[in-house]
Amino acid sequence: MTNGLARAAVRFRPASFVGSAVALLFASAIITACGVLLQTGVTAASAPARYAGTPVVVAADPYVRMTHTVGEEQVTVQAPLPERARVDSRLAARIAARPGVAAAVADIGFPVQPAGSAVSSLPPLTGRGYASATIPAPGAHALATGRPPEAGQVVLDEATVHAARLAVGDRIVLTAPGGSGTYRIAGVAPARAGAATVWFADRDADRLSGHPGRADAIAVHARAGVTGEELARQVRAAVGDEAKVLTGDARGLAEQPGLAGGKEALTALGASFGGVAAMTAVFVVVSTVGLAVGQRAREFALLRAVGATPSQIRRTVATEAAVVAPVAGLLGVPAGLVLARWWFDELVSRGAVPEAVRLNTGVLPMVVAVAVTVLAALIAGYLAARRPARLRPCEAFGEAVLEPRRTGRLRVVSGLALLAGGTALALAASGLDGAQAADTALGVVLCLLVAVALLGPPLTRFFVTVLGLPLRARGGASASLAADNARANARRMASATVPIAMVVAFCGTLLFLQTTIAHVSTHQVRTGIVADHVIGSTGPGLPATTAERAARDADVEASVGVLRTGVVYRADDLLNSATALGVSGDAVQLPKVLDLGVRTGSLSGLRASAPTVAVDEILAEEAGVNVGDRFELWLGDGTLVRPTVVATYERGLGLGQVLLPRAAVAPHVSAAYDTQVLIRDEPDAHPAAVAARLADLGPGLTVQDAADHTAQVGQDLEINAWANRVMAAVLGGFTAIAVANTLVMTVLARRREVGLLRLAGTTRGQVRGMMRWEALLVAATGLLLGTMIAYVTLVPITRGVTGSTPYVPTGTALPLAAGAVLLAVAATGLPTFALLRGRPLDAGTSRA
């Protein structure tokens, strides 16, 4: 019986299920997209290209790992390194001593910039030691012309030689992270696929790389008759725990130092946002399906009156969900795959994920998406069917007509408990700093949103009562009727206000957190950079000698090179990343170009001769360090150091959270080029003349004043804000569709009410006015609830991350509020117009 009733309802009254199907479809699409990104992050790999002919590759671990005790268990946490990790080059000799090893070659790669007018149009080159020329093609030693390089000589590939119109015996000026010099071309190598390459003598390459004694990887080849497994075993015995031994597709990890960070980005995005999206989808689906079931109260009352049992009512609703949900879920999968592809391509184009990674569209995320939508529909149907199922047959018709006067006791108690929990969590977060405060954001939002969902009817009744007071007093007949109607039907109104509150809370938190960070960072850059000129580069960076050469100008008072990198530090039992600056020269000169806002200690104690560091005050409080303490941190390549804190400062968010001597960080970055050089002019110098001379220091240099540089930093922050905007757009778009869907369903279900108003003499204009005012009440209530949740969430986070209160620009807040209002008005006005097209008698006619 129940199966037949369910199938008949879906077949003969499909309009009753359209709203639920739309919500389920979009929920499936979002969960599929997030699941695909998560799956890609977990399984991401890069097939070897350079090391395709090398059976075993030895490389450093691209993660910082830390083990601590939780209770009686050992827990290991990890964080990706911000720079390429490297191995000790001396491992090659130890590996080569193994009986099964034919050769072990230390591979080094570093960016090289050609100089001089003859080669100014050449792209940056990749510098390598000549011994690694055989890595892509073992056994190939032949040169097209010339001979292998010796000290002070290089070998170029044919394409580069032809493009620069050079030949064997010519000289070329090259700049590398480890220095600049003039080199004679000793030979020309056959052209190969990939980046243009310049081969140095091995000792020259080691020095010029900027990290002498360290190699990117070690390529290992086996002797004849030695299997790959045996070779890997011998290599592991040789290196022990000092490095990772890679075989098969894992060799690609040595070629893609950004793979670890890309996996982390995909996993974090797919898991964290996927969880939020799934929760939002379930909320919306439960609300929409519950509304659809509630609108069929008369139908269920009739079934109870003719003898249907409560279990039969529940099984009927469950069967309907089982019929509609799988179809809607399957239809949402293709849209989710399209969204995942676009999302992934954007991450690749912005450099967050290496280009070699491929999107993994396995079947598991699709199965999970369909399963979640079906489960959400079943839960929603069961909850909505509880009331009509437990009614006594003799009371069914009377109860079906009226909205429940009270919210269930369990629902109220649970809602109040979550409201108190969310408030307590927000108060606790206000005492935290940095990442810890940000980590509590999701908990605060979830607690408060679930509380609002549970307490939706009484909260909506309270807000529409308060907001309706001026409508009853001065709004006219339509406004007064709308206020009374909204208050009497608060449960129905709550089905639309809760999704609006949800989208405002989520989007407000994501968008205004980013606007606060951008605002504070830009202000710190604007006030912190007191230099007259900022030298940058259109290439991979500035040679380390640029600051010294600029300081020789008679009109330059101070010249400080800045090398931007990253570090990893420990905060309690977590590993977090922070931005870092390596500054060159005398620390006494630093305040002349960079005002960090020192709070404690002095920057004069920052010396290259001793392990010292200055730390942003928020980060210092989070890590629990003060002036004079040892600060345990990992440099960009994973090297553990414990410098002494000599100062704390306040402008770390915009300028850099950790300040170190350049000599301490240069050997531990991917390419030891300065990012900028900050220049302070002598008091009587002419700025334009100084800028012109600075631009002549080398090709590809750019010279900006402080205002221009501040604008550039703002553009960089805007790129970093893209991920938050996309998440807000996806959640906002989905919830907007759900809100419109809910409002349309609600209006169309009021056919009898509209017909009765028309028969009583109400004009079409008055009915439209009533509906319009109700839509405004719905939007205003949802906006107020969402704003309150977003504000309570944002205050502790922004104070912890930026030390400031939330910054809410009107250019972002007004469109968000206007969008909610226009959505509510449009989603109410269009179905109202459809109901009013016929005669009053027709409008009051019910469709069985």
Side-chain angles (χ1 to χ4, degrees):
M1 171 183 173
T2 56
N3 291 341
L5 286 173
R7 288 194 297 269
V10 176
R11 179 180 178 185
F12 294 106
R13 298 188 60 181
S16 301
F17 301 92
V18 170
S20 302
V22 170
L24 291 166
L25 187 151
F26 281 95
S28 174
I30 292 180
I31 296 174
T32 297
C34 294
V36 168
L37 292 181
L38 175 60
Q39 180 173 258
T40 303
V42 172
T43 64
S46 175
R50 178 173 176 77
Y51 300 126
T54 304
V56 174
V57 176
V58 177
D61 191 349
Y63 292 92
V64 171
R65 304 180 194 272
M66 180 185 68
T67 302
H68 61 276
T69 302
V70 178
E72 297 181 355
E73 297 183 359
Q74 295 289 316
V75 178
T76 299
V77 294
Q78 65 181 32
L81 291 170
E83 305 280 357
R84 176 189 276 277
R86 296 185 175 90
V87 296
D88 191 335
S89 300
R90 292 175 294 183
L91 282 177
R94 192 191 308 173
I95 295 170
R98 291 288 164 170
V101 176
V105 180
D107 192 20
I108 301 172
F110 50 92
V112 176
Q113 303 179 65
S117 58
V119 294
S120 59
S121 61
L122 286 179
L125 307 172
T126 298
R128 297 189 183 277
Y130 187 71
S132 64
T134 61
I135 289 178
H141 295 278
L143 294 174
T145 58
R147 56 188 177 79
E150 297 177 355
Q153 299 177 348
V154 295
V155 168
L156 299 176
D157 64 88
E158 288 181 323
T160 302
V161 168
H162 292 160
R165 298 180 181 179
L166 296 172
V168 173
D170 290 343
R171 294 187 176 275
I172 183 172
V173 179
L174 299 173
T175 298
S180 302
T182 302
Y183 298 86
R184 191 174 69 84
I185 300 176
V188 178
R192 293 176 181 172
T197 306
V198 51
W199 285 274
F200 296 87
D202 291 333
R203 288 189 178 181
D204 284 349
D206 186 57
R207 173 179 55 84
L208 294 172
S209 66
H211 44 83
R214 310 290 292 179
D216 298 345
I218 299 175
V220 185
H221 294 283
R223 293 185 183 275
V226 178
T227 64
E229 293 182 0
E230 174 61 19
L231 178 65
R233 187 190 65 79
Q234 293 188 23
V235 173
R236 289 191 184 96
V239 302
D241 296 331
E242 296 182 47
K244 298 179 71 66
V245 178
L246 309 176
T247 59
D249 287 344
R251 293 169 295 171
L253 183 64
E255 298 182 32
Q256 297 288 343
L259 182 59
K263 289 169 66 72
E264 192 82 4
L266 288 170
T267 303
L269 182 61
S272 61
F273 179 58
V276 173
M279 187 275 295
T280 306
V282 170
F283 260 109
V284 172
V285 168
V286 169
S287 176
T288 306
V289 174
L291 178 62
V293 173
Q295 289 177 346
R296 297 165 59 200
R298 291 174 178 270
E299 177 183 327
F300 293 123
L302 176 61
L303 291 175
R304 290 289 288 137
V306 298
T309 65
S311 62
Q312 287 175 326
I313 297 293
R314 288 192 293 267
R315 285 200 302 270
T316 298
V317 174
T319 304
E320 292 172 356
V323 171
V324 175
V327 177
L330 289 172
L331 291 176
V333 167
L337 294 177
V338 172
L339 177 60
R341 167 56 62 184
W342 174 84
W343 214 335
F344 180 80
D345 290 343
E346 289 295 316
L347 289 171
V348 172
S349 67
R350 284 168 169 77
V353 178
E355 294 183 1
V357 177
R358 295 291 176 263
L359 189 67
N360 186 346
T361 55
V363 71
L364 182 60
M366 308 174 202
V367 173
V368 171
V370 175
V372 169
T373 54
V374 172
L375 182 61
L378 290 174
I379 294 174
Y382 173 79
L383 294 176
R386 289 178 60 199
R387 180 171 177 266
R390 67 170 179 253
L391 292 176
R392 288 181 293 181
C394 60
E395 300 174 346
F397 275 109
E399 292 289 337
V401 176
L402 301 175
E403 183 175 276
R405 289 172 294 178
R406 294 182 179 179
T407 304
R409 182 176 301 175
L410 178 61
R411 184 171 177 174
V412 171
V413 172
S414 301
L416 291 175
L418 286 169
L419 185 62
T423 304
L425 192 59
L427 292 175
S430 62
L432 302 176
D433 297 293
Q436 293 179 336
D439 289 341
T440 63
L442 182 59
V444 174
V445 171
L446 291 181
C447 284
L448 295 179
L449 278 178
V450 175
V452 168
L454 293 173
L455 300 176
L459 286 175
T460 301
R461 184 177 292 110
F462 170 77
F463 277 101
V464 298
T465 299
V466 174
L467 295 174
L469 291 176
L471 298 184
R472 296 187 186 94
R474 298 180 179 274
S478 296
S480 178
L481 185 60
D484 293 335
N485 200 16
R487 185 176 183 276
N489 295 281
R491 183 178 294 270
R492 182 187 66 201
M493 296 276 288
S495 63
T497 58
V498 170
I500 291 178
M502 184 179 298
V503 69
V504 171
F506 271 130
C507 292
T509 300
L510 289 171
L511 294 176
F512 298 135
L513 173 60
Q514 193 60 47
T515 58
T516 304
I517 293 175
H519 175 72
V520 173
S521 298
T522 303
H523 175 73
Q524 290 183 358
V525 171
R526 185 180 297 113
T527 57
I529 295 181
V530 294
D532 294 311
H533 309 286
V534 179
I535 303 177
S537 172
T538 58
L542 298 168
T545 57
T546 304
E548 297 177 7
R549 295 165 59 200
R552 297 170 192 161
D553 191 300
D555 288 331
V556 171
E557 179 183 358
S559 175
V560 176
V562 176
L563 191 161
R564 292 190 177 273
T565 180
V567 297
V568 177
Y569 66 96
R570 176 176 180 173
D572 294 328
D573 293 329
L574 299 175
L575 291 174
N576 299 319
S577 299
T579 56
L581 299 181
V583 293
S584 64
D586 188 354
V588 177
Q589 301 289 327
L590 188 59
K592 297 180 180 179
V593 296
L594 205 59
D595 181 7
L596 293 169
V598 175
R599 286 299 184 91
T600 60
S602 173
L603 293 179
S604 61
L606 197 68
R607 299 187 302 273
S609 59
T612 51
V613 65
V615 186
D616 174 73
E617 62 177 349
I618 295 177
L619 189 149
E621 186 174 351
E622 182 182 353
V625 295
N626 298 299
V627 173
D629 293 342
R630 292 280 187 175
F631 185 19
E632 182 177 272
L633 53 85
W634 289 263
L635 299 178
D637 65 347
T639 300
L640 178 62
V641 295
R642 294 181 177 87
T644 301
V645 178
V646 298
T648 63
Y649 51 90
E650 63 178 348
R651 296 193 177 113
L653 185 64
L655 299 173
Q657 296 167 290
V658 175
L659 196 69
L660 292 156
R662 187 187 190 281
V665 300
H668 306 284
V669 299
S670 298
Y673 287 115
D674 283 347
T675 310
Q676 301 147 350
V677 173
L678 305 179
I679 303 295
R680 179 68 173 267
D681 295 346
E682 292 286 355
D684 57 348
H686 191 280
V690 175
R693 291 196 299 273
L694 293 175
D696 292 335
L697 289 177
L701 296 186
T702 61
V703 180
Q704 299 174 308
D705 59 23
D708 292 338
H709 180 68
T710 301
Q712 181 62 45
V713 171
Q715 293 173 10
D716 294 338
L717 290 172
E718 181 64 20
I719 293 174
N720 293 332
W722 171 84
N724 275 359
R725 290 202 302 271
V726 170
M727 287 191 284
V730 172
L731 280 179
F734 169 63
T735 312
I737 293 172
V739 170
N741 186 23
T742 300
L743 289 172
V744 170
M745 292 171 60
T746 302
V747 173
L748 292 179
R750 298 170 66 183
R751 184 182 301 274
R752 288 176 176 271
E753 176 187 337
V754 172
L756 181 60
L757 290 172
R758 294 285 288 121
L759 289 173
T762 307
T763 65
R764 288 187 175 89
Q766 289 175 326
V767 173
R768 286 195 293 268
M770 179 192 72
M771 291 292 195
R772 190 180 304 114
W773 281 113
E774 284 189 25
L776 292 175
L777 285 174
V778 166
T781 302
L783 284 170
L784 285 173
L785 288 172
T787 300
M788 292 169 61
I789 295 173
Y791 185 79
V792 170
T793 306
L794 278 172
V795 168
I797 299 174
T798 55
R799 284 181 178 173
V801 175
T802 68
S804 172
T805 56
Y807 174 70
V808 182
T810 55
T812 303
L814 288 181
L816 184 62
V821 172
L822 291 176
L823 174 67
V825 172
T828 302
L830 294 177
T832 300
F833 177 78
L835 290 181
L836 293 174
R837 284 185 303 176
R839 296 174 300 171
L841 183 60
D842 297 332
T845 302
S846 174
R847 293 183 181 179

